[in-house]
Amino acid sequence: MGLISENIVETPFVPGIGPHRDRLAGLIVNAGRDPALERLSGALQRSVVRQLLEGIFAGSPYLQMLIERDLLRLQRVLCDPASDQLPRLERELFEHISAAPDIAAAMRALRTFKNEAALLIALADVSGVWTVMKAAEALSRVADVALQGAIRFLLTEATRRGDWLPPDPANPEQGTGYIVLAMGKHGSRELNYSSDIDLIVFFEPRRAPLRDPSTMQSFFVRLTRDLIRMMEERTAGGYVFRTDLRLRPDAGATQLAIATDAALVYYESFGQNWERAALIKARAVAGDLEAGNAMIGELAPFVWRKYLDFAAIADVHAMKRQIHAVKGFADIAIAGHNIKLGAGGIREIEFFAQTQQLIAGGRQRDLRVPETLTALDRLTARGWIKETVRDELAASYQFLRRVEHRLQMVADEQTQELPTDETQLNRLAQFCGYPSIAAFSADLTRVFETVQRHYRVLFESSPGLTASGANMVFAGQIDDPGTVTALSDMGFSQPSSVLATVRGWHHGRYAAVRSPRARERLTDVQPILISALGASADPDRAFASFDRFLSELPEGVQLFSLLSANPNLLRLVAAIMGTSPRLARTLSRRRRVLDAVLDPRTFGALPSRADLDAVLALEVPPEASMPEVLDRVRVIGQEQAFLIGVRVLTGTVVAAQAGEAYARLAETLVCRVQDAVEDDLRRSNGRVPGGAAVVMAMGKLGGREMTAASDLDLILIYDFDETATASDGAKPLAPAQYYGRLTQRLISGLSVPTAEGQLYDVDMRLRPSGQKGPLATNLSSFIQYQAGDAWTWEHMALTRARIVSGPEALRSKVNATIHTTLTRSRDRSKTAADVLDMRRLIAAEKGTDNIWNLKQVPGGLVDVEFIAQYLQLVSAAQHPGVLDTNTLAAISKLAAAGVLSASAADTLTAAGRLLHDLGQVQRLCLDTDFDPETAPAGLKQLMADAAHLPSFSVLEADLRDKLASVRDLFKKLIV
């Protein structure tokens, strides 16, 4: 081909007067003054050359810089035969690489080569001397040569060090098994003007001529890292190519260079459909080309299947269809339109060809071509598409690629988005040869509509793969910008991490997603899953919890099928993952609870004691060993607590109902563990004659006000025949020792972690004499202690005492003691003084002004409980009917007896309900203290909903008012 200066076919549209003309005039003057630029000066006498350069100056600051920086280079580009210049530049590059004393010199040579090649290709393209596809092929060749030169330098240096022992030191890459595959447009020789180059790097261990084979992995990773640095590090000479290696197998978990055997195992076991489409364009471009071509041959069975179901094709199509649904790509526009990803863009033409290649290429080998236009030709020849469709798509493809090149030449940026600024859009239109935006827009719109029409016809019967409004691109190794934005809008703080994790799922990193069937089911449910997680109270926590949940599953087909068939269940799972770490942990260990959630009865009446006893009888047979009993009660306890928590989370029960349900569950489990412990003790130590033991619940269990995080405040009280001195078993024990051991085993049975986890923390400090006294309390000691030695605060605690297990006869005796203790006459002033002293001690140790510390803040739960307990102590002698272990029930009884005014009772009841409502949510949803500054908006709204208030701000104001009212009552009533 001849000179560019003599074969110009087209030029940009040259606008009127402007700085571009002054700069061209200066260039002409400088060329005329330098004898070395005689040929350039002559070329500039031609008006068409001046018009070409003037249009470039007006449209591309980047090309203007390349032109003005080196006029000798411009002279070569314009005045040497265009077809000879790339071969010359390649020869010069390898000469400089061979002579380079260090990596800095090699990098300068690469950048000099790239800059002159970039100017040559740009001028040949803009002038019409080369077609746009000829320019793309030349850019791809430049990338090939740059990689080859850099690799030769790096391996020559390794040879000099003695680390690399190549068969041919003059060509140290040949026959060595180091493989560089180009992907995408680089692989298909369709590179755009300012594109990244997508690479996959493999090494063949059996070929690698390393002095020390034990360093193989680290050697090739370091080599690849140095290669990337040589390509993309910005120096005074610019950069060569931005380089992307994220298309390699499971990029989030693998090294930059991968052994061929490992790669083949990955593709055979976990390869994705989008990877099949991507590998259509794979081409060996550098390193050991023979080994690279052999690797592509090895991958052919993975890419080209004889039979490929529609679901696999839908995966490829979904990438494009999902892109459309993010941020307006589905609509045709001009300003701001993405000519690659947008509707009617380049990607639609590529997918149109690739999808049909995948369908038919397994059996029709001539369709296995990487170039888009060639693929369209072959598909036409095979009868897959009509000639008119081929012609329109081919013309559209070349038109859009031409615009893409001009757009990227402006500032050497990898962009495909048309400017939104009118001035910049007008400048681009003129650079593309149009006199106005209107003329430019008309042609663009016609092309977009043509492409979109053909693309829609091809896929018009494709089923929807994603939830409405939540279509996103998770396929591929490169983060789609629109998907990143969509995930951010959903509330995910690290969308790229979300994308990487989802890709890991599809790469089979967990057992649950190892099978192809599981990954297919995951693909089905994934869009609505991500949307549901994003809609939860804390999207980041929800996603992390679900990922942890998924990592612990042995298999995922059943779960994904279940979630796909039950969208409401999926939303509930998302809510659990984002709101309640406690429930999420249970779900991870007990996936069968999902089946229980699907049972319509789950959201009906809470299970009765009889229901729970029936579950225990079924799950824990009488003949079960002690370890089996402890494991099974933990399973049942966690599952039943999970179902109560789900009701709280979904608002189907109020706090009071939940408190009773948690307490009912706890006392049922205490009874079963006590039975098992007693049976076990009897087998080794017999029985104490006339002996019996009851468990007395205090605190929240006694008051039926438990939360998901409550521990158990217990006292074990025993009695026996006064004449008995020891148990009657093979290993007799004295009664005190016997019941002490029983108590220790009961505590362990309830609290010690087993393989199935923990049941409850147990606190025995409320027993007579506290930690100083024996673990088990003799009935006579209990009676004596309560009659003469107990402190006022211990009698306050006794107002919440409730027997939850043991024989009826002993229960009656203990209850009689409690009743006698609480109904005796008291000195009101002394009792008030004791209560106030106790409150001051607690405030000194645990006091706070944080209103969200619902228990200790002034006016909080401690104050509500102290008011109720104080009034019961000072009035029960006269009004025994006021006694009730439940705080709100006691307040109601105090009001009914006239001890408490109706208004005060209303105030305390309203405050108590609010505090209990909020406490249930906090303990269910948080492992730490609630902080409104860092709490997610969804959790705040959940708390407002639990309090039946419209917003968190209203809740906060209401809470402050109620706390103040309670505190006022505390000061008035405890006197």
Side-chain angles (χ1 to χ4, degrees):
M1 185 177 290
L3 315 182
I4 290 177
S5 61
E6 295 179 357
N7 291 276
I8 296 172
V9 175
E10 59 180 324
T11 65
F13 179 84
V14 179
I17 300 298
H20 49 279
R21 289 197 168 173
D22 294 337
R23 301 190 78 96
L24 179 61
L27 187 151
I28 292 171
V29 169
N30 291 334
R33 290 174 177 170
D34 189 343
L37 298 173
E38 180 180 356
R39 289 189 299 152
L40 175 61
S41 182
L44 291 172
Q45 302 307 308
R46 295 170 54 85
S47 62
V48 69
V49 174
R50 292 197 301 274
Q51 187 171 348
L52 172 67
L53 294 180
E54 191 175 344
I56 288 173
F57 281 11
S60 172
Y62 169 68
L63 293 179
Q64 175 189 304
M65 177 273 294
L66 288 180
I67 288 170
E68 293 182 332
R69 179 173 289 179
D70 187 345
L71 294 185
L72 281 173
R73 177 170 59 197
L74 176 64
Q75 178 173 263
R76 291 192 296 272
V77 168
L78 285 174
C79 303
D80 287 351
S83 58
D84 295 343
Q85 293 192 56
L86 274 183
R88 171 183 59 78
L89 291 173
E90 292 173 15
R91 290 193 301 272
E92 291 174 356
L93 172 64
F94 281 102
E95 289 169 3
H96 291 135
I97 287 289
S98 297
D102 53 35
I103 194 169
M107 289 169 68
R108 282 195 297 274
L110 285 165
R111 281 148 183 77
T112 299
F113 164 72
K114 167 63 186 304
N115 287 337
E116 184 154 341
L119 184 60
L120 166 68
I121 294 167
L123 266 59
D125 186 356
V126 174
S127 67
V129 172
W130 287 353
T131 66
V132 67
M133 299 318 298
K134 170 70 175 175
E137 184 178 357
L139 286 165
S140 303
R141 176 61 187 166
V142 169
D144 292 357
V145 172
L147 289 166
Q148 292 163 8
I151 290 171
R152 181 164 296 182
F153 171 80
L154 292 171
L155 290 179
T156 298
E157 288 295 287
T159 303
R160 289 174 185 163
R161 293 193 303 269
D163 296 334
W164 189 249
L165 308 174
D168 180 6
N171 298 287
E173 70 280 3
Q174 291 184 10
T176 60
Y178 184 64
I179 299 166
V180 179
L181 299 186
M183 306 292 287
K185 287 185 169 63
H186 183 194
S188 60
R189 296 185 177 87
E190 298 167 332
L191 205 59
N192 54 49
Y193 190 78
S194 187
S195 176
D196 291 359
I197 52 175
D198 294 301
L199 306 176
I200 300 179
V201 177
F202 299 120
F203 61 89
E204 169 54 73
R206 288 175 289 275
R207 294 192 184 199
L210 279 168
R211 179 180 57 81
D212 182 1
S214 69
T215 65
M216 186 169 301
Q217 180 72 63
S218 60
F219 176 87
F220 284 120
V221 169
R222 186 169 58 253
L223 174 66
T224 305
R225 189 175 290 117
D226 289 342
L227 174 64
I228 296 169
R229 175 193 168 197
M230 293 186 73
M231 289 292 102
E232 64 183 23
E233 185 175 289
R234 291 184 179 270
T235 69
Y239 69 102
V240 187
F241 287 97
R242 292 175 295 268
T243 308
D244 194 331
L245 277 79
R246 289 177 296 177
L247 291 180
R248 69 185 185 275
D250 198 2
T254 54
Q255 299 278 14
L256 297 179
I258 304 169
T260 51
D261 289 345
L264 291 170
V265 168
Y266 165 82
Y267 286 121
E268 290 169 3
S269 303
F270 307 115
Q272 308 293 298
N273 291 315
W274 68 264
E275 289 174 302
R276 296 176 190 167
L279 285 167
I280 290 176
K281 294 181 178 291
R283 178 170 61 90
V285 295
D288 187 342
L289 297 180
E290 180 183 353
N293 288 325
M295 183 64 176
I296 291 174
E298 292 276 0
L299 291 171
F302 164 68
V303 179
W304 307 109
R305 303 288 177 86
K306 286 186 177 181
Y307 306 102
L308 197 62
D309 61 16
F310 181 80
I313 297 303
D315 247 7
V316 179
H317 173 53
M319 291 175 62
K320 185 64 183 73
R321 186 152 41 84
Q322 290 163 357
I323 289 169
H324 281 179
V326 179
K327 275 212 151 176
F329 282 172
D331 302 320
I332 290 178
I334 300 301
H337 194 75
N338 191 303
I339 62 173
K340 176 182 178 181
L341 303 179
I346 295 167
R347 181 60 61 84
E348 286 191 354
I349 303 172
E350 293 173 336
F351 280 9
F352 181 96
Q354 288 172 4
T355 303
Q356 294 179 93
Q357 286 178 277
L358 281 178
I359 294 171
R363 302 179 66 181
Q364 298 172 358
R365 299 177 66 88
D366 56 322
L367 296 179
R368 302 179 184 183
V369 291
E371 299 87 358
T372 302
L373 296 181
T374 305
L376 291 174
D377 286 340
R378 300 279 178 88
L379 288 167
T380 304
R382 281 282 186 175
W384 283 90
I385 60 176
K386 296 179 180 179
E387 288 187 8
T388 54
V389 174
R390 185 269 318 274
D391 293 344
E392 288 184 353
L393 288 177
S396 298
Y397 182 76
Q398 292 174 88
F399 176 87
L400 292 173
R401 291 302 310 276
R402 181 174 178 271
V403 174
E404 180 183 42
H405 280 198
R406 300 297 187 277
L407 183 59
Q408 295 181 347
M409 287 175 188
V410 171
D412 190 28
E413 294 176 341
Q414 188 193 16
T415 179
Q416 281 90 13
E417 289 190 7
L418 298 170
T420 55
D421 178 79
E422 185 175 351
T423 300
Q424 293 180 7
L425 185 59
N426 185 61
R427 184 180 301 161
L428 176 64
Q430 292 175 341
F431 192 32
C432 291
Y434 290 89
S436 66
I437 293 176
F440 184 46
S441 298
D443 278 359
L444 275 171
T445 301
R446 175 183 51 78
V447 168
F448 291 147
E449 289 176 346
T450 298
V451 173
Q452 194 173 55
R453 182 177 71 253
H454 291 307
Y455 186 78
R456 282 177 171 170
V457 167
L458 180 64
F459 290 108
E460 63 185 1
S461 62
S462 298
L465 296 181
T466 56
S468 176
N471 294 300
M472 291 166 287
V473 183
F474 292 95
Q477 286 297 90
I478 301 171
D479 291 353
D480 171 66
T483 304
V484 170
T485 300
L487 290 171
S488 294
D489 292 344
M490 285 182 177
F492 294 102
S493 66
Q494 297 180 305
S496 291
S497 177
V498 172
L499 286 165
T501 301
V502 173
R503 286 194 286 265
W505 297 346
H506 284 283
H507 287 131
R509 289 186 192 159
Y510 301 148
V513 285
R514 293 271 160 78
S515 72
R517 188 168 173 230
R519 293 195 296 275
E520 289 172 8
R521 295 291 181 272
L522 172 61
T523 299
D524 291 340
V525 77
Q526 177 178 288
I528 52 175
L529 169 65
I530 297 300
S531 297
L533 294 173
S536 67
D538 186 342
D540 289 331
R541 173 193 278 172
F543 184 81
S545 296
F546 187 83
D547 178 57
R548 186 164 52 249
F549 168 55
L550 195 61
S551 73
E552 295 169 353
L553 287 181
E555 59 87 23
V557 172
Q558 184 179 358
L559 171 69
F560 299 140
S561 299
L562 184 65
L563 295 179
S564 179
N566 297 275
N568 289 334
L569 178 62
L570 192 151
R571 284 188 282 273
L572 175 60
V573 168
I576 290 169
M577 296 298 175
T579 308
S580 176
R582 187 177 306 279
L583 296 183
R585 286 193 294 270
T586 301
L587 185 57
S588 295
R589 293 175 60 88
R590 316 272 178 234
R591 192 168 59 82
R592 74 175 191 175
V593 296
L594 289 179
D595 297 330
V597 171
L598 288 175
D599 187 335
R601 294 171 296 178
T602 293
F603 296 100
L606 286 160
S608 65
R609 177 63 185 267
D611 293 331
L612 295 172
D613 284 336
V615 171
L616 280 169
L618 181 65
E619 296 282 347
V620 190
E623 67 276 9
S625 67
M626 189 66 186
E628 290 175 321
V629 171
L630 299 187
D631 279 342
R632 294 313 302 163
V633 296
R634 278 155 175 75
V635 171
I636 294 166
Q638 291 167 16
E639 291 181 353
Q640 291 297 321
F642 175 89
L643 296 176
I644 298 168
V646 165
R647 290 172 166 96
V648 173
L649 197 61
T650 55
T652 54
V653 297
V654 298
Q657 293 172 300
E660 289 183 10
Y662 282 125
R664 188 181 306 121
L665 172 63
E667 63 189 67
T668 305
L669 298 175
V670 168
C671 287
R672 185 62 184 88
V673 172
Q674 182 180 349
D675 288 344
V677 168
E678 288 182 341
D679 288 345
D680 192 55
L681 193 61
R682 278 194 292 268
R683 281 190 286 271
S684 60
N685 303 101
R687 301 171 184 265
V688 174
V694 297
V695 174
M696 185 166 70
M698 311 288 282
K700 290 188 179 299
L701 174 55
R704 298 185 180 89
E705 299 165 357
M706 286 184 68
T707 69
S710 294
D711 57 9
L712 304 184
D713 292 301
L714 304 178
I715 299 174
L716 185 136
I717 300 174
Y718 67 93
D719 194 17
F720 60 95
D721 189 327
E722 292 180 359
T723 63
T725 58
S727 61
D728 58 10
K731 299 177 180 179
L733 294 173
Q737 187 180 8
Y738 184 96
Y739 287 106
R741 185 168 297 181
L742 174 66
T743 306
Q744 288 175 329
R745 293 188 180 184
L746 177 65
I747 294 170
S748 296
L750 293 169
S751 62
V752 170
T754 73
E756 297 295 344
Q758 188 180 23
L759 202 52
Y760 297 103
D761 286 324
V762 177
D763 191 338
M764 305 286 287
R765 289 175 296 176
L766 290 178
R767 68 187 185 272
S769 301
Q771 290 176 303
K772 295 179 182 179
L775 277 178
T777 302
N778 183 279
L779 175 62
S780 59
S781 298
F782 178 73
I783 294 171
Q784 180 182 350
Y785 185 83
Q786 297 299 337
D789 299 324
W791 295 73
T792 299
W793 70 265
E794 291 178 290
H795 287 172
M796 293 169 65
L798 203 62
T799 63
R800 308 181 78 183
R802 184 168 59 87
I803 309 302
V804 296
S805 71
E808 188 58 38
L810 184 54
R811 288 185 183 223
S812 297
K813 293 178 182 179
V814 175
N815 281 330
T817 302
I818 295 171
H819 188 267
T820 298
T821 302
L822 294 179
T823 57
R824 76 188 189 198
S825 296
R826 296 175 187 269
D827 183 322
R828 189 181 187 100
S829 297
K830 181 183 182 307
T831 303
D834 289 346
V835 171
L836 292 172
D837 283 345
M838 188 65 193
R839 187 65 182 97
R840 279 191 289 270
L841 285 172
I842 293 174
E845 182 181 352
K846 302 178 180 179
T848 179
D849 59 359
N850 176 11
I851 66 170
W852 300 108
N853 186 330
L854 304 173
K855 183 175 181 179
Q856 301 296 344
V857 67
L861 279 171
V862 169
D863 282 357
V864 173
E865 291 168 358
F866 272 33
I867 290 171
Q869 291 164 11
Y870 164 74
L871 292 178
Q872 288 179 89
L873 288 181
V874 298
S875 59
Q878 193 172 8
H879 305 285
V882 301
L883 295 176
D884 198 294
T885 60
N886 180 271
T887 302
L888 296 185
I891 289 171
S892 177
K893 291 180 177 181
L894 287 163
V899 174
L900 191 62
S901 69
S903 62
D906 289 345
T907 297
L908 291 171
T909 299
R913 283 177 178 163
L914 176 63
L915 293 168
H916 283 128
D917 286 339
L918 298 180
Q920 286 289 356
V921 173
Q922 283 189 3
R923 297 284 65 81
L924 184 67
C925 298
L926 296 172
D927 289 327
T928 58
D929 294 336
F930 175 74
D931 181 357
E933 297 298 322
T934 58
L939 176 56
K940 292 180 181 180
Q941 188 57 50
L942 182 63
M943 292 175 68
D945 292 343
H948 309 289
L949 294 172
S951 68
F952 184 77
S953 60
V954 174
L955 167 63
E956 186 170 23
D958 187 56
L959 177 60
R960 289 187 186 278
D961 288 344
K962 285 183 168 57
L963 293 175
S965 298
V966 170
R967 192 58 186 168
D968 287 343
L969 282 174
F970 183 90
K971 294 174 181 177
K972 293 175 183 176
L973 294 172
I974 303 181
V975 292

